[in-house]
Amino acid sequence: MRQEQQFVDRLYARVDALRGEAERSVDGALTDVGKGLQARLERDVLVAERSGLLAALNAVDGSLCFGRVDLAAGEDGSTPGPSHHIGRIGIREDDEEHTPILIDWRAPVARPFYLATGHTPMGLRRRRHLTTEGRTVTALHDEILDLGDHTRTGHEDPTGDAVLLAALDSARTGRMGDIVRTIQADQDRIIRAPHRGVLVVEGGPGTGKTAVALHRAAYLLYEHRELLARRAVLIVGPNPAFLGYIGEVLPSLGETGVLLASLGELFPGLRARGTESPYTAAVKGRTEMAEALALAVRDRQHIPEPGQPLVIAHEDGDLILDWETAYEARQAARDTLLPHNLARPHFAFRIIDSLTDQLVERIGADPYGGPNFLGLDDRAQLGKGIAASAEVHAAIDELWPELSPRQFVSDFLADPVYLPEQDTEALRRAPGSPWTPADVPLLDEAAELLGHDDSAALAAAEAERQERIAYAQGVLELSRGSESYEFEDEESELLSAHDIIDAERMAERHEEDDHRSAAERAAADRTWAFGHIIVDEAQDLSPMAWRLLMRRCPTRSMTLVGDPAQTAETTGAGAAPPRGAAAEGARTWQEILEPYVGDRWEHTRLGVNYRTPAEIMALAAAVLRAEHPAFEPPVSVRATGTRPWAKASSDLAATVAEAAAGEIPEEGRLAVIAPRALHEEIAARLPDVRAGEEPDLTRHLVLLDPRQAKGLEFDRVIVVEPGTLPTSDLYVALTRATQSLGLVHSGELPEPLRAALAEVPV
């Protein structure tokens, strides 16, 4: 213990020195100005590098070192092999060789820490787990891997599971912790899988699939730093509460440049927080919506009715825009195959040319039947006048308006078309209604269909750039003039400004610097192409959501994690069959991915449950088997000896409050999971709980509905009215607890649940 404490003290002394150096470098660079263009560039690079180092050091300052591997002795066996300490990030000495003090857990030399066994020691004689509180070593656990090594330390762990079980039994904090100390062999293989292509990670509750995906993001950033730091990694979660729950994992591993977003946050400038019925969300998620939106865009490309031309006032007499002229202009614009807004100038040019011809023919006509006497210059002048006419522009706007995605989708949802009547009624809503997460794929689809005509902005930017170049050229000319005056009688060997840099490069150096990270820039750019995308609860994504995500990753480099048994269910409207998110989400991975990647994807499964005790998992599995007899749940690694309980009540809120009062742990978290319709009544009886608020998972008591609870875990859980929940939602609710589970209900429990409660082992 003393030896390890001395190492940890030395490690943190180096960390403190690195932190001080980084802080001084950043402060000095930011205040050191006026050293020229090259110095400014070097300063910006230094600030970015040292700021990133500071962020990583500050994020991992706690349990920085968690393990050690002792290599087997050499061939002569006379001396023990070297040892390497393993930690969250790599730290090196300040010497000429930059000797490693701490090995990054992602480095190849650290891999035996996770994979070595007594049967396959991978060159190790001992694996040591270090437990620390702050900077103090509190426990050591050694695993002997070389049975021929008889050296003992007194810290041997006979089973090798002490650290894992301690982590599983520890109180929850409302934030997911990293599993870097306890990564299992099957998880490690997924984390270090190759970067390219789509990897599907399927696993039941508690198998660690989310943690594995996050650690995979950290590993990929380590292995492909240059590429992914430039293009960024996107992690998509099911809701904002979940993103808050996982938000500290990657920083604790030294990675702070990843973009975390829910579906409702994937349209720049919008945070969709509105709610709607599951059926409405399901309708919005269908592939038919893409076709309906495309047809609705074409509907906004109008032409006059035959025999009812559009009359445009003009100072030289009214201009007539008839059906035939407008039809030809519209067809020419559509033939470009450009998005609506980008095709609009082609339509406008055709209309302006036709109106110009009409005006030329009127003004230049010879009353005696001779040829038109207007020349090309005259025609050009008349065309400019028509192009500048407000009346002409108003007519073009009426026939082919420039559309924004938000306004277009809002108008479409106010009066949906090209869909079955039942679906149009489900979609219909008043303009100005709050945006919902299911609207975001529609907005993205609309943005693709409409396009953005940035020609004016590009022209303005280019004009500004040319002005900067002209100014820089003037500065260089003045410099050249002063130099020729000073040295006109002798040949100078000194380098002048124009020998080092030309006007264009000088102008570029003076452009406003963008110090945002790649993740920050990606969040503001709908067309950003991410280097890798990780999707949690991928089984619930609608086809329209998949269209959005595939646009965000043209290379199709993705990690998808999910569990088909937890697929969200919807209810139909009226007599309609329940289609949509549930039915679509229940499709096989092959059906989801084939349109985008064919068969170029891999599938793997995690089958060990590290969260849910055996007693609770038996109950949840029995419920699901009632509908799916072949269902095989993940195998729980532990039992707690605590049996799930159930209590009937005629006053649900009072019974829940009473049960919660006895279940709220001094350390850890209690979740009450209830149908949304009961939240107001229950919240009124619970301390510091308000219905409708975004749940604060760091509180000891939270109130959630089953879908909000997806991906989360709590020490204790009370499920309210389980008989009213769809099977998949009930399965989710039952599998959130790490220690104990209770049920509160007003009527008879469903038969599968009642029978399972009687059979659960004590």
Side-chain angles (χ1 to χ4, degrees):
M1 186 83 76
R2 181 180 179 184
Q3 181 184 14
E4 294 295 1
Q5 185 61 60
Q6 289 174 341
F7 169 79
V8 169
D9 291 342
R10 183 165 68 91
L11 172 65
Y12 277 105
R14 177 60 180 148
V15 168
D16 290 340
L18 283 171
R19 184 183 287 113
E21 292 171 10
E23 289 174 345
R24 288 190 295 273
S25 295
V26 172
D27 291 342
L30 292 176
T31 57
D32 188 9
V33 295
K35 287 190 175 182
L37 300 173
Q38 184 64 29
R40 177 183 172 186
L41 179 61
E42 293 173 353
R43 178 204 69 188
D44 292 345
V45 172
L46 178 63
V47 168
E49 289 179 348
R50 294 307 172 91
S51 296
L53 175 61
L54 266 176
L57 290 173
N58 291 333
V60 302
D61 191 7
S63 300
L64 179 56
C65 174
F66 55 81
R68 192 182 87 183
V69 290
D70 299 340
L71 275 65
E75 291 184 3
D76 60 2
S78 59
T79 57
S83 298
H84 300 296
H85 282 87
I86 313 299
R88 285 175 164 77
I89 61 174
I91 303 292
R92 294 180 177 272
E93 292 276 19
D94 185 19
D95 55 20
E96 292 184 359
E97 291 78 21
H98 297 290
T99 307
I101 305 176
L102 188 66
I103 303 297
D104 193 301
W105 67 275
R106 297 164 287 190
V109 71
R111 196 170 192 193
F113 181 79
Y114 300 108
L115 298 183
T117 65
H119 185 265
T120 310
M122 299 180 69
L124 302 187
R125 59 187 176 89
R126 179 186 292 110
R127 171 170 48 215
R128 167 168 287 180
H129 293 268
L130 283 74
T131 302
T132 59
E133 291 184 6
R135 300 187 176 193
T136 302
V137 180
T138 58
L140 302 177
H141 296 86
D142 289 343
E143 296 175 62
I144 304 301
L145 300 174
D146 181 0
L147 299 181
D149 183 354
H150 299 292
T151 304
R152 295 295 180 265
T153 65
H155 301 291
E156 281 72 26
D157 176 5
T159 66
D161 292 332
V163 173
L164 174 62
L165 292 175
L168 299 180
D169 288 330
S170 63
R172 270 43 190 174
T173 65
R175 292 289 181 263
M176 176 182 279
D178 64 63
I179 60 168
V180 67
R181 300 173 66 227
T182 59
I183 293 172
Q184 303 301 293
D186 57 340
Q187 297 172 330
D188 184 81
R189 282 188 286 272
I190 295 171
I191 290 170
R192 298 174 193 262
H195 169 230
R196 297 296 179 187
V198 176
L199 176 64
V200 176
V201 183
E202 189 177 310
T207 54
K209 55 187 180 295
T210 297
V212 166
L214 294 173
H215 287 67
R216 176 163 167 76
Y219 173 77
L220 292 177
L221 283 163
Y222 175 85
E223 280 289 291
H224 308 279
R225 177 72 61 190
E226 183 176 351
L227 171 65
L228 295 183
R230 183 175 69 252
R231 295 177 57 186
V233 173
L234 170 65
I235 297 179
V236 181
N239 53 59
F242 175 84
L243 296 178
Y245 175 66
I246 68 171
E248 296 177 4
V249 174
L250 285 167
S252 74
L253 300 174
E255 300 297 345
T256 57
V258 175
L259 176 62
L260 277 69
S262 64
L263 184 64
E265 298 167 330
L266 289 179
F267 195 82
L270 180 68
R271 295 175 69 86
R273 294 289 189 267
T275 59
E276 60 196 346
S277 73
Y279 182 76
T280 297
V283 172
K284 291 178 180 179
R286 298 177 191 163
T287 53
E288 291 88 346
M289 288 298 301
E291 183 178 356
L293 290 172
L295 292 173
V297 168
R298 291 174 69 88
D299 283 349
R300 302 298 296 273
Q301 300 163 1
H302 306 292
I303 58 175
E305 293 292 332
Q308 300 179 22
L310 186 63
V311 179
I312 304 172
H314 190 270
E315 60 184 3
D316 293 315
D318 291 344
L319 300 172
I320 306 300
L321 182 56
D322 58 20
W323 175 87
E324 183 177 14
T325 300
Y327 177 84
E328 291 176 353
R330 184 177 70 176
Q331 196 59 43
R334 287 178 174 176
D335 287 345
T336 65
L337 302 181
L338 291 171
H340 173 87
N341 289 332
L342 300 183
R344 183 176 183 272
H346 295 269
F347 176 79
F349 292 152
R350 290 282 186 139
I351 296 299
I352 290 171
D353 282 348
S354 295
L355 295 178
T356 300
D357 289 342
Q358 186 180 138
L359 191 58
V360 166
E361 184 177 350
R362 178 190 304 166
I363 295 176
D366 185 342
Y368 301 103
N372 190 301
F373 59 81
L374 293 181
L376 293 178
D377 290 343
D378 299 319
R379 187 188 188 286
Q381 196 63 33
L382 290 174
K384 288 180 181 179
I386 288 179
S389 167
E391 290 77 8
V392 171
H393 279 282
I396 293 172
D397 287 340
E398 180 182 343
L399 298 176
W400 196 297
E402 185 167 2
L403 303 173
S404 71
R406 294 197 194 193
Q407 187 59 54
F408 170 73
V409 173
S410 180
D411 292 344
F412 176 86
L413 294 176
D415 185 19
V417 290
Y418 300 112
L419 294 167
E421 181 179 354
Q422 177 177 278
D423 292 348
T424 62
E425 289 306 312
L427 291 180
R428 197 181 308 279
R429 72 182 190 198
S433 298
W435 295 106
T436 71
D439 290 329
V440 169
L442 305 187
L443 290 166
D444 194 74
E445 189 76 25
E448 288 291 308
L449 293 168
L450 298 176
H452 175 59
D453 184 3
D454 57 358
S455 56
L458 291 175
E462 178 61 21
E464 183 179 348
R465 175 174 171 272
Q466 292 300 329
E467 288 182 9
R468 286 196 304 269
I469 293 174
Y471 176 79
Q473 186 65 48
V475 171
L476 292 176
E477 289 297 331
L478 287 174
S479 172
R480 183 181 290 112
S482 64
E483 290 159 3
S484 63
Y485 175 80
E486 185 175 355
F487 302 110
E488 61 182 356
D489 295 327
E490 58 182 298
E491 186 176 344
S492 173
E493 296 181 356
L494 299 177
L495 288 175
S496 63
H498 58 267
D499 294 318
I500 300 173
I501 189 170
D502 60 23
E504 186 170 354
R505 290 179 60 201
M506 183 176 180
E508 290 174 354
R509 291 283 182 84
H510 282 282
E511 290 183 20
E512 188 67 28
D513 295 324
D514 187 350
H515 295 296
R516 294 177 300 169
S517 68
E520 291 169 331
R521 286 182 281 124
D525 184 354
R526 191 194 67 82
T527 63
W528 187 274
F530 288 93
H532 193 79
I533 293 180
I534 292 174
V535 184
D536 202 291
E537 304 293 351
Q539 77 280 350
D540 284 341
L541 287 188
S542 70
M544 290 298 292
W546 282 116
R547 289 171 67 90
L548 179 154
L549 290 179
M550 292 298 174
R551 291 189 192 106
R552 298 292 198 277
C553 192
T555 61
R556 305 294 192 258
S557 178
M558 295 181 169
T559 301
L560 313 177
V561 297
D563 178 15
Q566 299 181 55
T567 300
E569 297 178 15
T570 69
T571 55
R579 300 178 59 206
E584 298 285 4
R587 298 179 305 164
T588 66
W589 297 113
Q590 178 68 36
E591 290 173 316
I592 292 171
L593 295 173
E594 188 173 25
Y596 303 104
V597 298
D599 60 357
R600 299 184 302 279
W601 60 282
E602 295 184 19
H603 177 273
T604 188
R605 182 172 178 81
L606 294 168
V608 178
N609 189 333
Y610 299 99
R611 175 206 302 150
T612 316
E615 299 89 345
I616 298 176
M617 198 63 221
L619 187 70
V623 169
L624 209 55
R625 280 202 187 103
E627 291 189 8
H628 307 283
F631 171 70
E632 288 295 332
V635 179
S636 297
V637 300
R638 79 197 209 288
T640 61
T642 301
R643 185 170 181 159
W645 55 267
K647 187 171 184 178
S649 172
S650 59
D651 188 344
L652 286 173
T655 303
V656 169
E658 180 183 353
E663 292 280 342
I664 297 177
E666 292 184 7
E667 294 185 3
R669 301 294 180 270
L670 165 66
V672 175
I673 303 178
R676 176 74 66 161
L678 299 177
H679 279 205
E680 287 283 354
E681 180 183 354
I682 293 173
R685 301 289 190 97
L686 297 177
D688 300 323
V689 173
R690 293 183 180 178
E693 288 186 346
E694 197 69 45
D696 181 357
L697 300 178
T698 63
R699 293 182 177 179
H700 288 283
L701 172 63
V702 293
L703 175 63
L704 306 166
D705 64 43
R707 295 186 187 184
Q708 288 176 309
K710 273 197 170 185
L712 309 181
E713 61 183 22
F714 306 90
D715 300 85
R716 303 179 183 186
V717 170
I718 298 174
V719 179
V720 184
E721 288 289 47
T724 66
L725 298 175
T727 300
S728 64
D729 284 359
L730 179 56
Y731 182 66
V732 169
L734 295 175
T735 54
R736 299 305 98 192
T738 66
Q739 300 296 332
S740 69
L741 172 69
L743 309 174
V744 177
H745 57 100
S746 61
E748 288 292 326
L749 289 173
E751 175 57 29
L753 195 57
R754 187 169 61 254
L757 278 169
E759 297 176 2
V760 168
V762 178

